Amino acid sequence: MLTGIVTFLIIFAVIGSILYGQKLIKTEKTDAVFGNPERAKGGVHWVILGSCFLLFLWLYYSWDIAKAFYPKSANELCQVAKVTESLLSLKYLFPIEERQHKSTAIIQRENVNINDKILAIQNAHKLETHDKERFVRLLNSTQQIIPLLTDEKYLQLETKNIISDLTNRIKRLTENFPKDTYPPALSDEAEKKRIEALQKQRGWGATGMEVPPLPETRVGLKFHTAAEELNKISDEFFSMRNHHPKYLRKVKAIIGEIKRYKSGLDDGQELEMTYIKEIKKLGQRIHYASIFPPSALDALEQSIRDFDKVQKQEQGAIRVRDILFFPGGTIVSSGPTCAEDGPGRWLPKPSDTFRIFGDLLKPSVGFKMIPMLWYEMMGVNKIVDFFLPDWVADILPGRYPVHTSYGKVEPNFKSRVLDIVTGNFEAFKIPVPTGHIWDSFLRVFLGLALGIIFGVPLGIFMGLNRFAKGFFDPLVELYRPVPPLAWAPLIITVFGIDNVGKVFLLFMVSFSIMIISARAGATGTQLSKIHAAHSLGASRWQILREVIFPNSLPEILTGVRVAAGMCWGTLVAAEFLAGTTGIGFVENVARKYMQYEVIWITIFVMGVLGLLFDITIRKIIDRTIPWRGKG
Amino acid sequence: MSDLVSQDLNMIFTSPKGEHVHALKDITFTLKKGELLTVLGPSGCGKTTLLNIAAGFLRPTSGKITLGNNEINGPGVERGMVFQQGALFEWLTVAENVNFGLRMKRVDPVKTAEKVEEWLDIVGLKGFGNTPTYQLSGGMQQRVALARCLINDPELILMDEPLGALDALTREKMQSLVLKIWKETGKTIILITHSVEEALLLGERVYVMAPRPGRIHTEYKLPFASMGLDGDLREIKNNKEFVTKREEILSMIWDMEEEIMGKEI
Ligand SMILES: Nc1ncnc2c1ncn2[C@@H]1O[C@H](COP(=O)(O)OP(=O)(O)O)[C@@H](O)[C@H]1O
Ligand SMILES: [Mg+2]
């Protein structure tokens, strides 16, 4: 419903934007030069057009438009798929979608196989001559059973009857199929059961199911019933064997000889065993194939052709919908499993995506029992415990209390301090953020912050001091070019899969970037500025703080921006590897369970968070270094 | 007595390849307190090197240079420097740039603010105290650089082509400003320029330097600076004597340049 409205809105917006743009182009004074930068400014209407176009592609290719306007179409296509599937094995018997009759193809192939085998046997050095002769004779008699299958005069009456019965049933189906009375009404009880089952069936795209398999419409029921009947016909056909008693006798003789030969072999004659088994297999392949005389199935073929034509005609509107509204794939190709095959599967429908996103955002639902972004009340004592190390109490003078002879323990100052640093006290609670998104954010933030805190001073030091540059250069330059994720297994082993490992990995990423940018900033300080500061009476420390540091700020902040991007990318991949929270973890789990909606949601969330990070840093840059590029 | 005395100053640079550049050779001169010296010369004749030695940024290879009997041994507040491009701290406002020296000395902020106002007024930037430096035009930036240097009350002011990057009109105004400051404060000033006209207009004394090795070629004592103190600079430029001197020095420099080119070819 909503999707339908949105689709119309999009179409209106697209048409409106194009018309408005056209009008604007006409009224704008025409600039004769190509490449006028004025044109690069674009226009809101083109932005609307672009966004709508994107949204439309999404709606269309995820088959959400099909779902909005023809909610039953997937189900109907599924029924068509059933018919197509049932016809398939029958059609393959004839040159309908193949080049040859199946019988022809089998005979051709088996003759080749047998001749190849004869050649192989004659060239086998390790076989005894009398074995060779026996094998060739067996193969020749195997080859000679084929004519017993293909000769009209060995086609038994019984077989002929079955074929004509099947042919008539298909003909009748062809006749009835287009009629309104097809399928015939079920018995009351059966109908009741059918409707009951239908009511239990959930709709298209409902959780855990892509396309509902039971027919929901009359047209669907028609195809469904026909498919069932065709399945029966096909089963009967393939269980029928064209085996004349003469043929059976001959086969029996061959099998008997093979058996006798095998029982005469001893354990050492593996080679002979292999050959005789292969010879037996060749015979079996012919035995179990459906081989019929050349024109024995002509009537059946015609009836199948006729039915195929009729069912294709009957598909009518369904087929048109399939072509128009199911781009890039189709449900029909999935056969009777009734699944979405194509972008409908891996490109989630906007409607589903937003619904699932809404669910994920609910703090009570979240993902794997952890909300995406929420808050929890945490006692101040826990926070104190986290930030104050326990040794603070240990290094205080004095001893911890000792129990008295009355069996009591009197707290003293030292033990009270210990209570505080271990968070062992009552305190009010404050809300702190939690959830997958927050965890990811916090990791990046901490990694980045540590990288800045340690990298900037070291970088500036390296930019000013030959020793520092030379001493730390090998260290930084050797670990920096290694892709961060290559470090991941090692670091995760050393620091654990939890936050410490990830934060350290991110610290490594940001540390090298910050060193390099701070160093570049410090090295880039104009000598005349340092000279000026010197003659104005600044000390070394003052020059460092008042001249070199602010002068390096543009580079440092650009470094922060780059590092933030790198950290973000690394984090998501690291969360993919290990861990139990974070947005990368969510995606990894969703990937395992093929929850395409969730995958796309995580991709979207990562994009937005990365963008927010970047925008924030860009804002900070604009705020703190407005002189950049203007000095 | 706070004269600037330079005795047999020699500066030889050694490039990493081991080539020696004799940038200054036997420079000897005495600059009395309150004198305005302009230094002229073709590019690469060692003007900047001389100034850097006077400022204490470079140590001479041999010889010594003293200011008021103190040997110059490193940068110091008593020698202020004005650079070609101002070398302002663009992350600071005009006032913060001007008071930089006082802040480094931790002078009382109220007093500092008063002095800043005073100097901004003198250089003609009243009311620009809170303007970010990067928004200033080239001429205004040089005014800030002047104020930043003068607020420290140095004995000697060293200017390395301070007006070189300015347009003609601004340049003329700044020349008047330099003369005005010289007159009002009575500071000793060395001003390097590549403009013959500017050297003649501003210099009480003018040194024309020659390259390879860098040395003082000719010295002039000129009246135009004192004339310019109360007269119109443009009038002086049309003065007959001025024009003759200008042509003389110009052709001298031309010859030097030609000699260099000849050498190089
Ligand atoms: N740090 C240095 N190392 C090597 N040679 C230098 C250095 N500084 C200046 N020179 C050389 O000394 C000569 C004088 O330079 P400089 O004083 O800058 O000339 P000017 O300012 O008159 O154009 C030039 O030939 C220059 O190449
Ligand atoms: Mg120079």
Side-chain angles (χ1 to χ4, degrees):
Chain A
M1 177 62 186
L2 192 65
T3 314
I5 296 170
V6 170
T7 311
F8 277 119
L9 283 180
I10 286 175
I11 291 170
F12 286 136
V14 165
I15 295 173
S17 305
I18 292 176
L19 289 180
Y20 180 73
Q22 288 289 338
K23 205 180 104 194
L24 220 62
I25 287 170
K26 268 182 206 146
T27 51
E28 256 174 6
K29 59 178 191 299
T30 44
D31 40 5
V33 289
F34 172 78
N36 184 346
E38 190 74 10
R39 288 181 183 168
K41 283 181 186 162
V44 175
H45 51 292
W46 295 131
V47 173
I48 293 175
L49 181 67
S51 320
C52 284
F53 188 67
L54 208 63
L55 191 57
F56 184 78
L57 279 186
W58 184 16
L59 282 165
Y60 183 59
Y61 273 92
S62 65
W63 304 350
D64 211 2
I65 291 181
K67 189 177 165 188
F69 290 94
Y70 302 101
K72 303 278 187 215
S73 57
N75 179 259
E76 285 176 351
L77 280 165
C78 166
Q79 313 311 321
V80 171
K82 289 179 188 169
V83 170
T84 321
E85 174 84 6
S86 319
L87 273 176
L88 214 57
S89 48
L90 287 173
K91 274 170 149 182
Y92 278 154
L93 290 171
F94 309 110
I96 297 179
E97 270 155 26
E98 296 288 309
R99 294 204 176 89
Q100 290 172 318
H101 282 276
K102 200 168 178 192
S103 299
T104 315
I106 293 170
I107 291 165
Q108 202 169 24
R109 196 182 62 215
E110 295 310 326
N111 274 326
V112 169
N113 285 345
I114 289 171
N115 291 338
D116 285 352
K117 191 52 73 184
I118 291 174
L119 256 174
I121 287 166
Q122 278 164 351
N123 291 333
H125 301 298
K126 289 185 181 163
L127 282 180
E128 305 273 347
T129 325
H130 61 95
D131 277 336
K132 278 189 187 176
E133 277 166 9
R134 182 193 288 262
F135 290 161
V136 172
R137 203 176 58 242
L138 272 173
L139 282 170
N140 279 334
S141 27
T142 305
Q143 204 161 21
Q144 278 154 20
I145 63 172
I146 296 176
L148 295 175
L149 294 168
T150 54
D151 193 335
E152 197 83 40
K153 72 174 183 256
Y154 295 118
L155 193 62
Q156 286 173 295
L157 187 66
E158 195 192 343
T159 316
K160 279 185 188 161
N161 283 342
I162 297 177
I163 292 174
S164 73
D165 173 48
L166 294 178
T167 310
N168 285 333
R169 275 161 68 185
I170 294 176
K171 275 187 182 155
R172 222 168 317 128
L173 183 60
T174 313
E175 245 169 64
N176 291 334
F177 190 69
K179 287 185 192 156
D180 287 341
T181 50
Y182 189 87
L186 293 167
S187 70
D188 280 356
E189 190 158 336
E191 181 70 12
K192 219 174 102 188
K193 259 193 183 161
R194 189 182 75 85
I195 289 177
E196 240 168 54
L198 250 186
Q199 276 160 353
K200 277 191 201 142
Q201 173 168 274
R202 289 197 271 174
W204 179 10
T207 326
M209 178 186 290
E210 282 177 355
V211 180
L214 296 178
E216 286 170 341
T217 58
R218 256 209 87 70
V219 187
L221 186 62
K222 199 173 191 166
F223 277 88
H224 172 79
T225 317
E228 282 192 333
E229 190 154 359
L230 283 167
N231 276 339
K232 271 188 217 142
I233 293 172
S234 149
D235 284 350
E236 276 176 44
F237 178 86
F238 285 103
S239 63
M240 167 183 76
R241 288 279 168 271
N242 168 28
H243 292 164
H244 192 265
K246 196 175 170 190
Y247 163 90
L248 288 173
R249 269 200 303 281
K250 199 148 188 183
V251 169
K252 211 173 166 187
I254 295 173
I255 291 175
E257 192 179 345
I258 289 175
K259 252 188 193 155
R260 268 196 308 284
Y261 177 78
K262 264 165 85 173
S263 61
L265 288 176
D266 59 48
D267 285 352
Q269 293 172 294
E270 262 176 43
L271 189 66
E272 286 79 357
M273 196 59 161
T274 319
Y275 272 107
I276 198 71
K277 272 187 183 163
E278 275 169 8
I279 291 167
K280 190 179 170 191
K281 219 180 266 165
L282 281 173
Q284 277 171 339
R285 286 168 66 113
I286 297 171
H287 187 67
Y288 292 120
S290 293
I291 301 177
F292 288 90
S295 46
L297 299 179
D298 283 357
L300 186 66
E301 178 184 346
Q302 192 52 48
S303 71
I304 289 168
R305 280 180 190 276
D306 289 344
F307 176 77
D308 198 30
K309 213 192 267 168
V310 168
Q311 68 96 3
K312 272 188 184 141
Q313 273 166 14
E314 286 303 300
Q315 283 178 22
I318 304 176
R319 212 176 151 70
V320 173
R321 265 176 244 153
D322 189 17
I323 292 166
L324 282 183
F325 294 108
F326 291 81
T330 173
I331 288 166
V332 174
S333 65
S334 76
T337 50
C338 296
E340 293 176 332
D341 233 356
R345 162 173 286 227
W346 53 260
L347 186 66
K349 296 170 185 47
S351 53
D352 295 343
T353 311
F354 287 120
R355 182 171 47 80
I356 290 174
F357 195 19
D359 281 350
L360 282 179
L361 284 181
K362 275 184 213 149
S364 55
V365 183
F367 192 83
K368 292 259 156 191
M369 316 296 289
I370 296 171
M372 295 303 274
L373 186 60
W374 199 236
Y375 68 91
E376 62 182 7
M377 300 305 288
M378 192 187 263
V380 173
N381 50 339
K382 280 196 183 155
I383 297 168
V384 171
D385 177 28
F386 180 78
F387 281 107
L388 289 182
D390 295 356
W391 50 258
V392 170
D394 297 338
I395 59 167
L396 285 176
R399 296 176 59 189
Y400 288 111
V402 180
H403 65 275
T404 63
S405 49
Y406 303 108
K408 282 195 173 170
V409 181
E410 282 294 321
N412 62 7
F413 177 67
K414 205 167 152 100
S415 75
R416 285 198 192 97
V417 172
L418 186 69
D419 282 347
I420 289 173
V421 294
T422 51
N424 190 10
F425 60 95
E426 288 292 314
F428 58 95
K429 293 184 169 186
I430 54 165
V432 289
T434 105
H436 292 293
I437 294 178
W438 172 254
D439 282 5
S440 287
F441 167 81
L442 198 64
R443 284 168 193 153
V444 171
F445 183 80
L446 287 178
L448 197 59
L450 288 174
I452 294 171
I453 289 169
F454 290 100
V456 169
L458 184 59
I460 290 184
F461 187 36
M462 284 170 77
L464 298 177
N465 184 297
R466 275 177 207 271
F467 162 75
K469 164 93 166 73
F471 189 83
F472 291 108
D473 229 17
L475 191 80
V476 175
E477 291 299 328
L478 276 179
Y479 98 79
R480 190 180 63 93
V482 178
L485 279 182
W487 288 106
L490 204 61
I491 284 168
I492 284 172
T493 317
V494 178
F495 292 99
I497 62 167
D498 258 352
N499 289 333
V500 180
K502 281 175 197 131
V503 170
F504 188 82
L505 189 68
L506 299 188
F507 162 72
M508 282 178 67
V509 173
S510 58
F511 184 57
S512 61
I513 297 177
M514 290 322 300
I515 284 182
I516 286 170
S517 50
R519 193 177 72 194
T523 323
T525 317
Q526 279 171 30
L527 190 59
S528 62
K529 277 184 195 139
I530 294 178
H531 277 167
H534 262 304
S535 1
L536 290 171
S539 67
R540 281 163 170 247
W541 173 244
Q542 281 171 329
I543 288 177
L544 194 63
R545 212 185 48 195
E546 305 279 341
V547 181
I548 293 173
F549 178 68
N551 193 73
S552 325
L553 257 186
E555 267 92 354
I556 290 175
L557 288 174
T558 312
V560 171
R561 209 176 143 197
V562 175
M566 284 287 290
C567 281
W568 189 238
T570 312
L571 170 82
V572 169
E575 285 176 341
F576 235 85
L577 289 180
T580 52
T581 61
I583 200 79
F585 163 77
V586 173
E587 183 174 4
N588 195 25
V589 173
R591 179 185 63 87
K592 277 188 199 139
Y593 296 107
M594 299 211 283
Q595 294 168 317
Y596 292 97
E597 283 89 0
V598 179
I599 292 177
W600 281 85
I601 289 168
T602 53
I603 290 173
F604 174 75
V605 168
M606 285 173 214
V608 169
L609 283 182
L611 189 68
L612 283 181
F613 245 106
D614 200 56
I615 289 178
T616 314
I617 296 172
R618 223 157 51 197
K619 279 265 145 62
I620 294 174
I621 289 178
D622 290 347
R623 238 352 113 69
T624 44
I625 44 171
W627 70 85
R628 189 161 70 139
K630 294 166 188 161
Chain B
M1 166 168 134
S2 50
D3 298 347
L4 181 73
V5 182
S6 162
Q7 283 172 8
D8 289 330
L9 217 53
N10 272 288
M11 188 74 207
I12 300 171
F13 288 110
T14 312
S15 72
K17 282 184 199 159
E19 293 165 16
H20 297 286
V21 178
H22 209 149
L24 292 178
K25 187 173 186 245
D26 300 334
I27 304 285
T28 304
F29 65 89
T30 304
L31 196 60
K32 291 216 180 63
K33 185 174 161 55
E35 276 185 319
L36 203 176
L37 168 71
T38 54
V39 182
L40 254 179
S43 177
C45 67
K47 305 184 295 285
T48 300
T49 307
L50 180 62
L51 213 64
N52 280 343
I53 291 175
F57 302 142
L58 286 176
R59 300 236 164 80
T61 315
S62 70
K64 77 176 192 180
I65 182 159
T66 54
L67 180 65
N69 290 336
N70 298 321
E71 181 159 358
I72 292 172
N73 225 335
V77 237
E78 75 281 359
R79 280 157 287 133
M81 188 87 178
V82 177
F83 298 86
Q84 175 169 18
Q85 293 286 357
L88 296 183
F89 307 128
E90 63 265 60
W91 49 91
L92 302 177
T93 62
V94 168
E96 285 166 338
N97 260 288
V98 173
N99 71 22
F100 189 87
L102 298 182
R103 261 195 300 138
M104 295 304 106
K105 278 190 280 183
R106 299 187 207 292
V107 176
D108 167 44
V110 181
K111 231 187 235 166
T112 308
E114 273 171 26
K115 271 192 126 175
V116 168
E117 282 306 307
E118 202 179 297
W119 275 105
L120 284 182
D121 195 13
I122 293 175
V123 298
L125 284 178
K126 206 177 163 73
F128 280 94
N130 290 323
T131 314
T133 322
Y134 62 87
Q135 290 178 358
L136 298 180
S137 69
M140 287 156 105
Q141 287 188 15
Q142 282 317 67
R143 285 166 199 264
V144 175
L146 265 175
R148 182 176 73 175
C149 165
L150 287 162
I151 201 170
N152 267 2
D153 197 22
E155 290 169 39
L156 175 64
I157 300 172
L158 305 163
M159 302 194 204
D160 191 355
E161 305 194 8
L163 312 182
L166 304 181
D167 62 277
L169 218 69
T170 317
R171 200 171 176 150
E172 215 159 85
K173 281 189 200 150
M174 290 296 290
Q175 286 165 350
S176 309
L177 178 64
V178 170
L179 281 178
K180 180 180 134 194
I181 286 172
W182 177 53
K183 179 185 162 195
E184 283 177 9
T185 61
K187 302 270 176 209
T188 320
I189 298 178
I190 302 181
L191 187 145
I192 288 175
T193 175
H194 55 243
S195 152
V196 178
E197 204 163 73
E198 188 168 283
L200 294 178
L201 267 180
L202 300 183
E204 238 188 334
R205 290 167 65 186
V206 175
Y207 285 167
V208 179
M209 287 181 71
R212 298 182 187 209
R215 65 215 124 97
I216 297 170
H217 186 273
T218 325
E219 186 188 339
Y220 295 91
K221 270 197 189 321
L222 296 166
F224 307 117
S226 340
M227 283 161 69
L229 280 179
D230 5 64
D232 181 6
L233 290 186
R234 209 152 316 143
E235 239 169 57
I236 299 171
K237 281 187 202 170
N238 293 329
N239 182 313
K240 218 173 191 168
E241 204 182 332
F242 185 92
V243 174
T244 348
K245 271 275 170 327
R246 191 181 66 194
E247 293 310 314
E248 182 190 328
I249 296 175
L250 264 178
S251 59
M252 182 158 46
I253 293 179
W254 258 117
D255 288 347
M256 285 183 207
E257 297 261 12
E258 236 156 50
E259 201 181 325
I260 301 173
M261 300 297 253
K263 260 190 198 168
E264 270 169 14
I265 292 163

